[in-house]
Amino acid sequence: MSYYIETGYDSLTKYGEELCGDKVEVVRNNDSVIIVLADGLGSGVKANILATLTSKIIGTMLNEGADIDDCVETIANTLPVCRERGIAYSTFTILKICNSGEAYLAEFDNPEVMFIRKGKPVSLEKTVRTVKDKKISESRFTVAPEDMLILFSDGVVHAGVGRLLNLGWQYENVQEYIQNAMRSSLTSLALSRQLVSACDSLYLQRPGDDTTVAAARVLKPVEVRVLV
């Protein structure tokens, strides 16, 4: 069976900044969809440049058939180095879902992706390996209709720090919120916007960090006929 992968994402920009330091790149081809969420070091213009380069490079290279090792090496050799900190750094999450249902997930220093099936979280088997001094967590699995995968930057789990919540919005609390939200049928875009809106409320409309959510939902294709 061939599936259609519905995607959607939304972001909050750190209070006082003009540009968001997170970036989502969605690349579609005939066989799959690739989602890359990158979080640049710091915030503002520098972070935006780092995240944009990272997401664009990874999305384009994977779409052309490159593997994760080539992507990480290219990023390491391409990203501009921050003068203040002496490093070029962007975290990233990569999700590739084929129309056949086969999926690949790679994570580097971003919060763990949530995989929801039939309204409940599913744990993925992961292997960790080092690529160019970066520890990459990888998973290969198979998706089913109505499965939802949610990617997000650390601005989500930091929401409310120093304001409404001493330790921020913990991962388990975010997971519970998503489970409750999915009791009604939400599109990927609607879920992303709802989660980002909840973070904005916890930040009291003054986000202390760039905050991004991207979601992918697996659907059975529906035939539509249009008469013009």
Side-chain angles (χ1 to χ4, degrees):
M1 178 182 290
S2 179
Y3 299 121
Y4 175 75
I5 312 303
E6 174 198 76
T7 62
Y9 59 90
D10 198 14
S11 295
L12 284 175
T13 300
K14 182 179 179 180
Y15 183 74
E17 298 287 356
E18 293 293 329
L19 296 175
C20 184
D22 301 338
K23 182 70 176 178
V24 176
E25 182 77 6
V26 179
V27 182
R28 289 186 181 274
N29 54 43
N30 294 331
D31 302 316
S32 65
V33 59
I34 299 168
I35 304 173
V36 183
L37 190 160
D39 182 355
L41 176 69
S43 59
V45 176
K46 291 180 181 179
N48 180 268
I49 291 172
L50 292 170
T52 300
L53 282 172
T54 298
S55 58
K56 286 284 186 182
I57 289 171
I58 292 177
T60 301
M61 290 185 67
L62 288 178
N63 191 45
E64 294 297 326
D67 58 28
I68 186 67
D69 298 60
D70 294 331
C71 294
V72 172
E73 184 173 355
T74 302
I75 290 168
N77 294 329
T78 303
L79 293 185
V81 176
C82 174
R83 290 182 179 179
E84 296 175 3
R85 309 185 192 188
I87 55 176
Y89 187 86
S90 177
T91 64
F92 58 80
T93 303
I94 303 166
L95 176 63
K96 178 179 180 180
I97 306 178
C98 299
N99 297 344
S100 62
E102 296 179 358
Y104 168 76
L105 175 67
E107 300 167 294
F108 169 61
D109 274 8
N110 270 343
E112 184 179 348
V113 168
M114 288 186 186
F115 182 17
I116 306 294
R117 172 172 287 173
K118 295 181 179 179
K120 296 182 179 180
V122 176
S123 296
L124 296 171
E125 292 186 7
K126 299 184 179 183
T127 58
V128 179
R129 62 191 182 93
T130 302
V131 181
K132 293 287 288 185
D133 298 327
K134 292 178 171 58
K135 289 186 177 180
I136 309 295
S137 174
E138 295 179 299
S139 300
R140 298 182 187 276
F141 54 100
T142 302
V143 296
E146 297 305 324
D147 283 353
M148 182 82 86
L149 291 106
I150 303 97
L151 299 65
F152 48 91
S153 63
D154 58 6
V156 172
V157 292
H158 290 164
V161 170
R163 293 178 181 270
L164 292 179
L165 303 171
N166 290 333
L167 300 176
W169 210 15
Q170 298 296 295
Y171 186 89
E172 294 76 14
N173 302 129
V174 179
Q175 191 174 68
E176 183 179 356
Y177 179 89
I178 290 174
Q179 285 180 263
N180 290 331
M182 288 184 64
R183 289 176 181 173
S184 57
S185 181
L186 292 177
T187 65
S188 299
L189 179 59
L191 178 64
S192 299
R193 286 178 172 173
Q194 187 169 321
L195 187 53
V196 165
S197 178
C199 292
D200 196 27
S201 296
L202 290 173
Y203 279 123
L204 301 179
Q205 285 69 51
R206 293 194 172 194
D209 194 5
D210 298 305
T211 304
T212 298
V213 178
R217 185 168 65 143
V218 183
L219 299 173
K220 291 181 179 179
V222 178
E223 184 176 312
V224 178
R225 299 183 182 184
V226 180
L227 176 63
V228 178

